[in-house]
Amino acid sequence: MAASNLLSQTPTIHPTKSAKLSSNLFSVNTSLPLKWKPVSTSVISRFPRASTSEPKPHKFGQCFTKCEGVKVEELMEDVEKRPFYFYCKPQINRNVEAYKEALKGLNSIIGYSIKANNNLKILEHFRSLGCGAVLVSGNELKLALRAGFDPTRCVFNGNVKILEDLVLAAREGVFVNIDSEFDLENIVAAARIAGKKVNVSLRINPDVDPQVHPYVATGNKNSKFGIRNEKLQWFLDAVKSHPNELKLVGAHCHLRSTITKVDIFRDAAVLMVNYIDEIRSQGFEIDYLNIGGGLGIDYYHTGAVLLTPRDLINTVRELVLSRNLNLIIEPGRSLIDNTCCLVNRVTGVKTNGIKNFIVIDDAYQEGKMPFNYLPTENEELRDLLCQSVQNLINLVKRFKTSIAQHIQNITGSNGHQNVAEQSTYGATTSSGTSSENAEEAMKGKMEEFDQELSKIVGLHDLKQQLRKWAKGILLDEKRRAMGINLGPRKPPHMAFLGNPGTGKTTLARLLGKLLHSIGVLSSDNVIEVQKTDLVAEYLGQTGPKTRKKIEEAMGGILFVDEAYQLVPKQSAAGHVDYGTEALEVIMSVLEDGGLLVVFAGYTEPMKRVFSSNEGFCRRVTHFFHFEDYSCEDLVEMLMIKMSKQDEKSWLYGFKLHPSCTPSAIKSVIKRYSTEKLRNKQNGGLVDNMLNNAIENLDSRLSFESKGDELLTIMLSDLEAGLQSLSKRANVDDETESK
């Protein structure tokens, strides 16, 4: 699909340089209330009106110069910004007409698959041609409604349909496919919230091999989509048990895209009508058979003879008529793929001395990388990719060998010294000199480690423990170099206890870098999660949701903030809380050594976590209490922030006036803040104080100010900043007391 991900924002047409484009352009409405990444697009239609006679397919070449009488080169001068997508409206009309002709004599819905191209103007045109819409997300549902599609001719597919989107679908009367047990539960919940009965179909896997690339095969029993045919009765019973929420009106199968053999559709349709007979025998009024989409296209531009819409429909026509069914089909790429192209311009040519590179003005953001759906038939591309991967593996192997040889040269293999030749200045050994170099390198690492620790205010016990770990890891390097086969050290799982603003999250981020630098962790990745990131609303969803976050954190740190929320004091009547399930999933991986877990939260509520799991204190072996910051700590933190800025810091460029000495700042903090405020905000007090100080600096300067005056924070600015913060805190306290 040349434009499979075209509309990432409200589509726009840029003003043209001349009046060459006719009034037959697709008009654009820029009020769509959805947010997407912008892509420069132009939807162009100044072609002759499509003929009503037998469709004559028009093909875009891979490097075409004109289409329907419009020269692309001329068009490039008309469009203000490039790259842009160029659409052939008559070809879209011909493609839809081919399906309509094939479906004559059948009650049917042509459901355009929005994921093929979600440009709003394209959607509006398909709607004007009488198409319905096939959706796989909430945003696609909103797009379909915005484009004016009849909701009763829309089908909501997918195995991940969230409750919020299902409620909208229920209110609008959209067909919804049931894909799993928890999907059914969510649809029932949505129906109750919306106060409407939902028309549903069962997406059944007929277990037919579509003979396509395995990444896009969805109709077999190993697919993640749909329900297993042997579970059909369970779903029928479940639908029967919710007569006020669900009305079963159809059966659906989707073999997937790029299918090139009609007998595959026929095999699936035979199985599906048999299922429909069985379902009807149990009292259900099944009116719809949805056979999905899937017609292949000429990806390789070889002029291959492919299935036509008529070929597809003729394979199932008899079966549909024999059961008096309405037929739903879900074409996507076969409707849009040969109607558009991405137009770009060569910006220059460069060379590396061996090869010339033609540079154009579009990139991956205008199209999708192909490797997720790499065709197995493309041997040349596949071999090239495999060779690139193998070259990378070989490079890593050579690098590891080089490092091992370097360590061996430093310490000597198996503890034996390598004796060098005598020099003019006396006998030496290579390992003697190199060992000194190794020791210097280790000392250098420890100094770097200490330098990073110096950025942390307070937490002396934690700093001391980190130094112990760092030293132990570095000594392990020497032990392994001596030939001792040491296993990896177990990650030291921890609990951070303390009030907000005491630096727990900040330290976790720094901890990832520190432990990665000394080899405790294979990555400096820190994944920060709370209860909402781990716990799902319905039975069976929490485990997979939690495991997904664990996988993201593998090799690094999983930081569970406000961990006590996983073990509530008590659940509301009728409400099932799955927080303890998430905690058990995390605890089950602590001994695997694949990641480090840090649990954080208030001291008292965290005791619920400790007592909720028998193995917690056995697996989480290090507990650190983050004390509230003293005035001295806050001053130290402020001075560090102002003296160690980087270009990404919001404080970058600002500096303190010489009058802002540590003792003067300490006096300001003591005078203008209460102990309650300091303990409530801790490190946050410093950020808020500095932010307010800069605002005060802005208010007292004039537009005639220049030089250092624009960037220098005075002691009076800090006083005003803290006074403003204290006043707001007093208002908050009064509100709480009421």
Side-chain angles (χ1 to χ4, degrees):
M1 289 169 284
S4 60
N5 192 28
L6 178 59
L7 180 58
S8 297
Q9 190 176 13
T10 305
T12 58
I13 292 183
H14 302 285
T16 56
K17 295 180 180 178
S18 66
K20 291 183 180 180
L21 299 181
S22 75
S23 59
N24 194 29
L25 266 75
F26 283 116
S27 62
V28 175
N29 188 320
T30 59
S31 62
L32 183 62
L34 302 175
K35 296 181 179 179
W36 292 286
K37 176 182 174 184
V39 173
S40 174
T41 66
S42 292
V43 185
I44 307 300
S45 175
R46 60 169 187 171
F47 308 117
R49 186 178 300 274
S51 171
T52 56
S53 59
E54 182 68 21
K56 296 180 181 180
H58 176 87
K59 296 183 178 179
F60 278 173
Q62 286 177 281
C63 299
F64 72 92
T65 58
K66 62 190 299 185
C67 177
E68 305 275 352
V70 177
K71 294 182 179 180
V72 176
E73 185 177 4
E74 178 182 311
L75 190 64
M76 291 176 73
E77 299 304 320
D78 291 337
V79 179
E80 184 175 308
K81 290 187 177 181
R82 291 178 301 273
F84 62 89
Y85 281 91
F86 179 34
Y87 291 88
C88 179
K89 184 177 179 181
Q91 185 61 42
I92 296 177
N93 297 345
R94 287 191 286 265
N95 290 344
V96 173
E97 187 61 31
Y99 275 99
K100 287 183 176 181
E101 285 291 324
L103 287 163
K104 280 184 176 179
L106 296 175
N107 294 322
S108 62
I109 295 176
I110 302 173
Y112 170 64
S113 183
I114 290 182
K115 64 186 177 182
N117 185 316
N118 58 10
N119 185 301
L120 179 62
K121 306 315 295 180
I122 296 297
L123 299 185
E124 290 176 343
H125 186 58
F126 276 119
R127 184 259 306 155
S128 72
L129 295 175
C131 293
V134 177
L135 331 157
V136 293
S137 72
N139 273 347
E140 288 188 359
L141 171 55
K142 293 169 187 174
L143 267 174
L145 296 174
R146 179 66 184 84
F149 283 98
D150 179 355
T152 63
R153 292 171 62 82
C154 293
V155 180
F156 196 0
N157 287 334
N159 57 5
V160 184
K161 300 188 284 287
I162 64 175
L163 183 61
E164 175 187 352
D165 298 333
L166 286 169
V167 171
L168 177 60
R171 286 174 177 158
E172 297 293 337
V174 173
F175 282 102
V176 180
N177 275 327
I178 297 175
D179 195 84
S180 64
E181 292 87 345
F182 70 79
D183 196 29
L184 186 147
E185 290 180 6
N186 286 343
I187 297 169
V188 170
R192 290 171 178 168
I193 294 170
K196 289 190 175 182
K197 185 182 292 189
V198 181
N199 289 328
V200 296
S201 295
L202 290 175
R203 179 168 178 173
I204 303 170
N205 278 337
D207 196 18
V208 171
D209 181 6
Q211 300 177 34
V212 297
H213 193 282
Y215 287 6
V216 295
T218 60
N220 54 41
K221 65 181 180 181
N222 296 322
S223 171
K224 66 182 178 181
F225 295 99
I227 63 176
R228 304 194 309 274
N229 48 37
E230 60 265 28
K231 287 275 290 183
L232 176 60
Q233 188 58 52
W234 185 94
F235 281 92
L236 294 177
D237 293 339
V239 172
K240 283 181 183 177
S241 66
H242 296 97
N244 297 324
E245 293 85 14
L246 306 177
K247 181 180 180 181
L248 183 59
V249 297
H252 174 211
C253 73
H254 188 73
L255 304 181
R256 204 45 172 163
S257 52
T258 71
I259 293 175
T260 57
K261 297 180 180 179
V262 292
D263 56 333
I264 295 171
F265 280 109
R266 172 76 183 184
D267 293 344
V270 169
L271 290 171
M272 291 303 297
V273 294
N274 288 335
Y275 290 135
I276 287 174
D277 290 343
E278 181 181 341
I279 295 170
R280 282 176 168 176
S281 70
Q282 298 188 34
F284 291 99
E285 296 178 3
I286 300 296
D287 297 321
Y288 293 90
L289 169 62
N290 186 336
I291 61 171
L295 283 187
I297 59 175
D298 188 7
Y299 272 115
Y300 301 104
H301 304 278
T302 59
V305 178
L306 300 169
L307 293 183
T308 66
R310 192 180 300 277
D311 294 329
L312 166 62
I313 301 307
N314 284 346
T315 62
V316 300
R317 178 180 292 274
E318 284 182 28
L319 293 168
V320 172
L321 290 173
S322 69
R323 301 315 196 271
N324 193 27
L325 291 165
N326 299 292
L327 182 65
I328 300 176
I329 58 173
E330 302 178 349
R333 69 190 72 194
S334 61
L335 286 176
I336 195 67
D337 181 78
N338 67 337
T339 71
C340 59
C341 67
L342 176 61
V343 180
N344 52 58
R345 182 186 294 273
V346 174
T347 61
V349 179
K350 60 181 291 188
T351 181
N352 63 4
I354 301 174
K355 184 183 295 185
N356 293 328
F357 299 91
I358 298 175
V359 182
I360 59 177
D361 60 1
D362 76 62
Y364 286 133
Q365 63 266 27
E366 277 82 41
K368 287 189 175 181
M369 292 182 67
F371 297 123
N372 284 340
Y373 298 97
L374 184 63
T376 55
E377 297 85 359
N378 194 333
E379 298 290 344
E380 183 179 355
L381 182 57
R382 186 183 65 183
D383 291 345
L384 181 62
L385 179 62
C386 292
Q387 185 59 50
S388 298
V389 172
Q390 187 59 51
N391 291 342
L392 181 60
I393 293 172
N394 293 339
L395 180 64
V396 172
K397 285 181 178 179
R398 289 196 298 272
F399 178 74
K400 290 176 69 176
T401 302
S402 175
I403 292 295
Q405 186 62 49
H406 177 66
I407 293 174
Q408 186 181 53
N409 291 340
I410 289 175
T411 61
S413 177
N414 297 323
H416 297 293
Q417 294 181 339
N418 296 326
V419 181
E421 297 179 0
Q422 287 190 347
S423 70
T424 309
Y425 302 100
T428 62
T429 65
S430 63
S431 64
T433 303
S434 299
S435 294
E436 292 174 4
N437 292 338
E439 290 171 7
E440 287 299 320
M442 288 184 179
K443 289 178 182 178
K445 279 189 177 182
M446 282 302 298
E447 288 175 1
E448 291 177 14
F449 194 78
D450 279 331
Q451 188 175 0
E452 290 295 320
L453 288 180
S454 69
K455 298 177 182 178
I456 303 173
V457 176
L459 302 175
H460 302 294
D461 291 343
L462 178 56
K463 290 179 184 177
Q464 192 59 35
Q465 184 62 61
L466 291 175
R467 289 188 179 96
K468 289 180 182 178
W469 287 332
K471 186 176 181 180
I473 292 296
L474 293 174
L475 289 174
D476 279 353
E477 287 185 17
K478 291 192 72 172
R479 293 172 181 131
R480 291 190 181 95
M482 293 169 58
I484 299 173
N485 188 20
L486 292 176
R489 296 198 177 203
K490 291 179 63 176
H493 305 298
M494 313 176 200
F496 288 176
L497 312 175
N499 287 331
T502 48
K504 299 186 293 295
T505 303
T506 301
L507 182 62
R509 295 169 186 164
L510 181 58
L511 195 62
K513 296 179 181 179
L514 293 174
L515 297 183
H516 173 58
S517 69
I518 60 173
V520 173
L521 300 175
S522 60
S523 167
D524 62 0
N525 189 28
V526 178
I527 300 298
E528 301 169 23
V529 297
Q530 293 183 332
K531 180 179 179 179
T532 53
D533 301 306
L534 304 172
V535 178
E537 189 173 355
Y538 297 103
L539 179 67
Q541 296 178 328
T542 293
K545 189 174 183 180
T546 302
R547 280 187 284 273
K548 182 178 179 181
K549 287 297 179 183
I550 291 173
E551 289 172 5
E552 289 179 26
M554 274 298 169
I557 292 178
L558 180 68
F559 180 75
V560 187
D561 198 12
E562 297 183 355
Y564 54 85
Q565 297 282 4
L566 297 176
V567 188
K569 291 181 180 179
Q570 58 183 19
S571 298
H575 174 70
V576 179
D577 192 288
Y578 299 108
T580 53
E581 180 185 350
L583 181 60
E584 288 172 0
V585 172
I586 296 173
M587 298 304 295
S588 69
V589 301
L590 293 190
E591 294 186 351
D592 296 344
L595 79 166
L596 186 150
V597 180
V598 178
F599 298 92
Y602 295 112
T603 304
E604 284 302 315
M606 283 295 289
K607 292 179 181 178
R608 297 201 303 268
V609 180
F610 306 157
S611 60
S612 68
N613 190 290
E614 294 180 358
F616 189 92
C617 293
R618 175 169 55 84
R619 296 184 178 98
V620 181
T621 54
H622 296 83
F623 294 75
F624 298 102
H625 188 77
F626 287 62
E627 300 287 349
D628 292 323
Y629 287 119
S630 65
C631 290
E632 291 79 6
D633 291 334
L634 294 173
V635 172
E636 183 183 353
M637 186 180 300
L638 187 148
M639 301 304 288
I640 289 174
K641 283 180 177 290
M642 294 303 299
S643 62
K644 298 183 178 180
Q645 301 173 11
D646 59 46
E647 293 184 4
K648 296 180 181 179
S649 169
W650 59 277
L651 291 168
Y652 184 72
F654 289 96
K655 60 184 178 180
L656 295 175
H657 187 268
S659 63
C660 298
T661 62
S663 59
I665 296 173
K666 179 180 176 182
S667 297
V668 169
I669 292 175
K670 279 190 171 183
R671 186 181 309 123
Y672 295 108
S673 68
T674 63
E675 183 178 359
K676 180 180 179 181
L677 176 61
R678 293 194 292 270
N679 292 347
K680 188 175 182 179
Q681 295 207 1
N682 283 294
L685 182 139
V686 172
D687 285 336
N688 293 330
M689 176 183 177
L690 287 171
N691 184 66
N692 291 347
I694 292 175
E695 290 183 359
N696 190 74
L697 169 65
D698 295 338
S699 66
R700 66 177 177 80
L701 293 178
S702 67
F703 288 112
E704 287 73 33
S705 302
K706 59 182 67 175
D708 283 352
E709 189 180 6
L710 291 167
L711 299 169
T712 303
I713 298 173
M714 307 293 290
L715 191 62
S716 59
D717 295 322
L718 295 177
E719 291 176 351
L722 195 51
Q723 282 179 315
S724 174
L725 188 60
S726 297
K727 288 179 182 178
R728 176 56 193 266
N730 291 334
V731 172
D732 291 343
D733 290 342
E734 291 174 5
T735 303
E736 289 178 6
S737 64
K738 292 179 182 179

